Amino acid sequence: MRDDSPGRAIARAATARILSTASTTFPDMKLSNFSLPVSALSPGLDALRREVREFLAAERAAGGYARTAAGWDRYDPAFSRKVAARGWIGMTWPARYGGRERSFLERYVVAEELLSAGAPVRAHWLADRQIGPLLLAVGTEAQKRTWLPRIAAGECYFCVGLSEPDSGSDLSSIRTRAVKVEGGWRVTGTKVWTSYAHMAHMMNLFARTSPRSEENRHAGVTQFLVDLKTPGVTIRPIHNLAGDHDFNEVIFDDVLLPEDAVIGKLDGAWSQVTGELAHERSGSERWLNAYGLLVSLIDQAGPQPGAADAAHVGRLVAQLWTLHRMSFSIAGMLQRGEAPDVEAALVKDLGTHFDQEVPAVARRVMPEAARARLGEGHPFNAMLERAQCYAPSHTIRGGTQEILRGIIARGLGLR
């Protein structure tokens, strides 16, 4: 590429723009700088974004949290309760269930700011993101009144029991069974890779309640609410290659669940879980895992990066801007009551590859000798190490690349 080529100019301009918001103290990069003015959609969104940033700045100044290499993927119940006290959990839910009846666009702004700041929101994240909408859509009135206010208060945390040994991403092949008995359901089976089951209060369990049909492989499965303190539930840690304990194996040994544990329609969980996954796959958490590393990389590149470095980093910035706009548009679709299943799969697929590309670019821009000069304990090196360790998992979590591209192909009429 020539130094005066349009591509080089765009890369340099993007890098210069992102450099203007970064500093060696790793503040939040203002993602709204890279989007169309949100005030055109709602005058309150800019004010809300400022409110969240002020809250986060005050929390950092008071020692409430600090950005670490783990970013937002940290359990901190005390911080989650602070977020809840601001009305930022269950934002779109009805007030009678503890919600604030705000828009999906407002929720998106809050979520993006929390994640980009590396705030420790993992404790309440899953319950807010997908369990609440699931219960609002198909839960009983008793379930809504029992669980939604506790989630909105930042006091009840969930995990999801989907994957199983030998099943991979083929959820139709699950073998965990729930058998109807007097007074409820008896559950036997094993779930694996269950994120933060050892810290959660409840599980959304995906179990087979009828035999698998060759005509419809996805029939015969049901979702259940499971109190993880129920007798017969055993949680065993799975330590990953980074030395962290976030995954778990969860064993159900003749566990008795009450009648009212069923979520939604008996044998109808497949359609429910696909709608739930649209919430899981479309958010900015799918492309902000390596965000702290990107900001740190820009700091290390300095105000006058070389042409090759500017091109590499500028390309990342362009992808970041695109993913931001895509996720924001999906929030608009949710606001209109649409089901963005295909669009969510697109964001998840593109976003996870972006999270993998950030550490790859960081290694090119900051080769081994440059990293050694920073020292082993430098934040850049810590973030790069974690991003590299977790990069392979991004195209597996929340649906493998192959599964996602099948959804996209079918949605686009390509197969």
Side-chain angles (χ1 to χ4, degrees), residues 318-346:
Q319 292 181 58
L320 183 73
W321 185 90
T322 301
L323 288 162
H324 163 64
R325 293 302 300 161
M326 291 176 73
S327 288
F328 193 81
S329 70
I330 289 177
M333 294 176 70
L334 291 170
Q335 181 66 30
R336 296 190 297 272
E338 300 174 21
D341 298 345
V342 175
E343 292 83 356
L346 277 165

Side-chain angles (χ1 to χ4, degrees), residues 28 30 32 38-39 41-57 83-92 100-117 328 331 335:
D28 311 329
K30 298 176 175 60
S32 57
V38 295
S39 56
L41 298 172
S42 171
L45 292 183
D46 286 333
L48 178 60
R49 194 179 287 275
R50 287 192 296 272
E51 180 186 349
V52 180
R53 289 178 180 169
E54 290 168 1
F55 162 77
L56 292 168
V83 173
R86 302 298 295 255
W88 295 336
I89 302 178
M91 288 181 67
T92 64
R100 300 303 176 104
E101 300 186 359
R102 302 184 76 165
S103 71
F104 280 92
L105 296 177
E106 289 174 302
R107 183 192 179 279
Y108 177 85
V109 165
V110 171
E112 189 174 68
E113 289 298 320
L114 291 171
L115 296 176
S116 64
F328 193 81
Q335 181 66 30

Side-chain angles (χ1 to χ4, degrees), residues 21 27-35 49 53 113 291:
T21 66
D28 311 329
M29 189 166 68
K30 298 176 175 60
L31 293 178
S32 57
N33 287 351
F34 301 101
S35 66
R49 194 179 287 275
R53 289 178 180 169
E113 289 298 320
Y291 178 81

Side-chain angles (χ1 to χ4, degrees), residues 15 39 88 92 104 114 159 163 236 255 303 335 350 374 389 396:
T15 302
S39 56
W88 295 336
T92 64
F104 280 92
L114 291 171
C159 62
S163 300
R236 296 176 178 172
V255 175
Q335 181 66 30
L350 293 172
L374 294 177
C389 286
I396 300 173

Side-chain angles (χ1 to χ4, degrees), residues 260-328:
D260 60 2
V262 174
I263 305 174
K265 186 178 178 182
L266 185 66
D267 291 341
W270 186 259
S271 60
Q272 294 172 191
V273 81
T274 52
E276 182 185 333
L277 289 174
H279 290 272
E280 178 182 353
R281 292 168 174 164
S282 63
S284 48
E285 63 267 36
R286 291 304 176 191
W287 44 271
L288 282 174
N289 292 289
Y291 178 81
L293 174 61
L294 176 58
V295 175
S296 183
L297 172 63
I298 293 164
D299 289 335
Q300 297 308 315
Q304 298 294 327
D309 291 347
H312 288 314
V313 177
R315 184 168 178 267
L316 290 177
V317 173
Q319 292 181 58
L320 183 73
W321 185 90
T322 301
L323 288 162
H324 163 64
R325 293 302 300 161
M326 291 176 73
S327 288
F328 193 81

